[in-house]
C-alpha cells in the first residue's frame, strides 16, 4: 500500500497513516504508521484467524511485560475495508533499531557479549511464560541505544510442546540434524547460536549449507566454523552446549553466557607494559648526565 494511505479501523475507529513498508512476511505486511502524534507499526494480514492468533500471543505477553514495568507491545486489533472486503490488522509498539549484523558492522563485534546477554534474557522470559520464539534470525533481532535488544515479528511464536509454526532453514536445528521441530527452549538456544555464526561468518556458513547434503549436515560442521572464527572461539564451549541443547534451562544458558564473556574480557585486558632493564638504565644515565652538565654550567 502506498505511503500516505489512511487506514481506518472498522470497529475501533482509529485512523492510521501509513508512512512506509517495514517488511514482508509469509503471512502479512508490516508498515510504519502514525496515529496522531504517536508512531507505531501495523501488521496487515490475509488470514484473520492467524493474525488474531498472533495478537492473542502478544496480549498474553503484555500481561507479563506490565509486571516488569515495560510498555505494552500490542496496541490495537481491528479490520479495515479494502475493495469492499474486511482486512484484518493489528497495531503494535514500533521498535527502532538496526538488524544485528548492521549494528555489529557499525559499532564493532565487542558488543556481542552485551547484546547476547540481553537477547538471551528476553528469550528466558518468553520460555518462562510458556512460549518459544522459534524464528530467531538477523532480521528479527533489532539493536539500538548501547546494545539494547528487541525481538520483532512474533508470527512464529509457538507454545512449548507444539510443532514449531515458523522458522528459517539455516537457523533451524532440524535442518542441521540436531533435533526435532518441536518447540522447546533448546530450539531457541540453537537459533541463538546460529545467529552469531551468521552475523560473524555468514559467507562460510552459507557455503557450508549449500555444499553439504541433508544427511551429512551436523553440529560438528558448525563447530568447525566456530573453532576457526576468532570472534567466536572464546564462546566455543557455550555454543557447543547450545547446539546440543545441553543446558538445564534458559537461566543457566544466560548465566554461562555471562561467565564466558567475563573470562574473554579478562583475557583481553592489556597487560601493563614491561620496560626492559636496559631502557631503565639508559634513562638513569641520561638523568645523571644532565645533572652533571647543569652543575658544571652553574659553578664555572
Amino acid at each position: 500500500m502506498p505511503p500516505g494511505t489512511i487506514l481506518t479501523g472498522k470497529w475501533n475507529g482509529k485512523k492510521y497513516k501509513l508512512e512506509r513498508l517495514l517488511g514482508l512476511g509469509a503471512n502479512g505486511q508490516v508498515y510504519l504508521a502514525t496515529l496522531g502524534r504517536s508512531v507505531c507499526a501495523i501488521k496487515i494480514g490475509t488470514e484473520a484467524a492467524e493474525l488474531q492468533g498472533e495478537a492473542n500471543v502478544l496480549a498474553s505477553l503484555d500481561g507479563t511485560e506490565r509486571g516488569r514495568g515495560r510498555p505494552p507491545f500490542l496496541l490495537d486489533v481491528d479490520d479495515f475495508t479494502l475493495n469492499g472486503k474486511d482486512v484484518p490488522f493489528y497495531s503494535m509498539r514500533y521498535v527502532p533499531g538496526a538488524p544485528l549484523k548492521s549494528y555489529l558492522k557499525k559499532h564493532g563485534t565487542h558488543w556481542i557479549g552485551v547484546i547476547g546477554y540481553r537477547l538471551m534474557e528476553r528469550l528466558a522470559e518468553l520460555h518462562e511464560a510458556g512460549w518459544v520464539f522459534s524464528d530467531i534470525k538477523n532480521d528479527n533481532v533489532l539493536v539500538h541505544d548501547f546494545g539494547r535488544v528487541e525481538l520483532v515479528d512474533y508470527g512464529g511464536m509457538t507454545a512449548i510442546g507444539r510443532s514449531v509454526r515458523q522458522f528459517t532453514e539455516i537457523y533451524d536445528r532440524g535442518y542441521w540434524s540436531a533435533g526435532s521441530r518441536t518447540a522447546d527452549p533448546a530450539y531457541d538456544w540453537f537459533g541463538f547460536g546460529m545467529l552469531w555464526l551468521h552475523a560473524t561468518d555468514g559467507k562460510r556458513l552459507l557455503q557450508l549449507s549449500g555444499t553439504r547434503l541433508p544427511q551429512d549436515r551436523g553440529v560438528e560442521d558448525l563447530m568447525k566454523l566456530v573453532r576457526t572464527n576468532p570472534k567466536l572461539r572464546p564462546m566455543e564451549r557455550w555454543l557447543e552446549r547450545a547446539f546440543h541443547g545441553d543446558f538445564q534451562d534458559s537461566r543457566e544458558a544466560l548465566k554461562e553466557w555471562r561467565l564466558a564473556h567475563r573470562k574473554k574480557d579478562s583475557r583481553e585486558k592489556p597487560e601493563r607494559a614491561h620496560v626492559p632493564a636496559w631502557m631503565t638504565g639508559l634513562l638513569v644515565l641520561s638523568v645523571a648526565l644532565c645533572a652533571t652538565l647543569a652543575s658544571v654550567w652553574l659553578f664555572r
Side-chain angles (χ1 to χ4, degrees):
M1 301 180 74
T5 298
I6 302 298
L7 185 155
T8 303
K10 179 177 180 179
W11 309 107
N12 299 330
K14 295 181 179 178
K15 292 182 181 289
Y16 299 91
K17 181 181 178 182
L18 303 186
E19 302 293 340
R20 60 184 172 89
L21 182 69
L22 291 175
L24 292 169
N27 61 345
Q29 306 168 2
V30 180
Y31 293 86
L32 178 68
T34 52
L35 177 64
R37 294 185 178 181
S38 61
V39 178
C40 63
I42 286 182
K43 183 165 186 178
I44 301 171
T46 53
E47 296 294 332
E50 188 170 352
L51 213 66
Q52 184 63 52
E54 288 184 29
N56 291 342
V57 169
L58 294 176
S60 70
L61 291 176
D62 280 341
T64 305
E65 296 295 275
R66 280 192 286 273
R68 295 187 173 95
R70 293 176 181 154
F73 200 82
L74 182 67
L75 304 176
D76 184 24
V77 182
D78 209 334
D79 301 323
F80 72 97
T81 303
L82 180 66
N83 298 327
K85 294 183 179 180
D86 288 347
V87 180
F89 74 92
Y90 64 80
S91 64
M92 52 191 160
R93 175 163 48 95
Y94 172 63
V95 177
L100 177 67
K101 287 178 71 173
S102 300
Y103 189 91
L104 293 179
K105 185 176 181 180
K106 182 176 180 180
H107 298 280
T109 54
H110 60 277
W111 281 99
I112 287 177
V114 171
I115 295 170
Y117 183 85
R118 289 171 175 168
L119 176 56
M120 181 53 68
E121 186 175 41
R122 181 71 174 130
L123 291 173
E125 292 171 357
L126 295 180
H127 299 159
E128 288 164 357
W131 298 96
V132 168
F133 187 78
S134 84
D135 199 14
I136 296 174
K137 61 181 178 181
N138 178 65
D139 291 343
N140 287 348
V141 179
L142 296 186
V143 190
H144 61 107
D145 291 347
F146 305 104
R148 275 186 261 187
V149 180
E150 289 283 1
L151 288 165
V152 295
D153 192 354
Y154 285 78
M157 284 276 288
T158 307
I160 290 176
R162 300 282 186 89
S163 294
V164 168
R165 298 174 58 239
Q166 189 173 307
F167 61 86
T168 301
E169 270 195 346
I170 202 168
Y171 290 84
D172 170 51
R173 70 180 175 188
Y175 180 83
W176 294 99
S177 305
S180 71
R181 291 192 177 112
T182 299
D184 60 17
Y187 191 90
D188 277 348
W189 305 338
F190 188 94
F192 180 97
M194 293 302 299
L195 181 71
W196 300 110
L197 257 180
H198 192 203
T200 63
D201 212 351
K203 185 176 180 179
R204 289 202 303 161
L205 177 62
L206 293 173
Q207 286 175 344
L208 174 65
S209 68
T211 56
R212 301 289 278 175
L213 294 172
Q215 62 269 27
D216 294 333
R217 290 191 293 255
V219 170
E220 187 51 38
D221 295 309
L222 302 175
M223 290 309 301
K224 287 178 182 176
L225 294 183
V226 172
R227 294 184 189 112
T228 53
N229 183 336
K231 298 182 182 72
L232 297 183
R233 201 180 303 122
M235 290 97 78
E236 177 183 341
R237 177 59 183 149
W238 193 98
L239 289 168
E240 187 169 27
R241 293 183 68 184
F243 290 149
H244 286 289
D246 190 26
F247 294 110
Q248 183 176 347
D249 54 36
S250 295
R251 290 293 169 184
E252 184 194 9
L254 178 65
K255 177 183 175 183
E256 292 300 320
W257 178 267
R258 180 172 57 187
L259 290 174
H261 280 272
R262 279 183 178 174
K263 292 176 183 177
K264 173 179 174 289
D265 292 342
S266 65
R267 286 195 298 267
E268 291 179 352
K269 283 183 180 178
E271 296 181 4
R272 182 176 293 179
H274 176 69
V275 180
W278 67 267
M279 290 184 67
T280 304
L282 185 60
L283 178 62
V284 171
L285 181 61
S286 299
V287 172
L289 182 59
C290 288
T292 302
L293 291 173
S295 64
V296 170
W297 184 79
L298 288 171
F299 296 107
R300 64 182 177 177

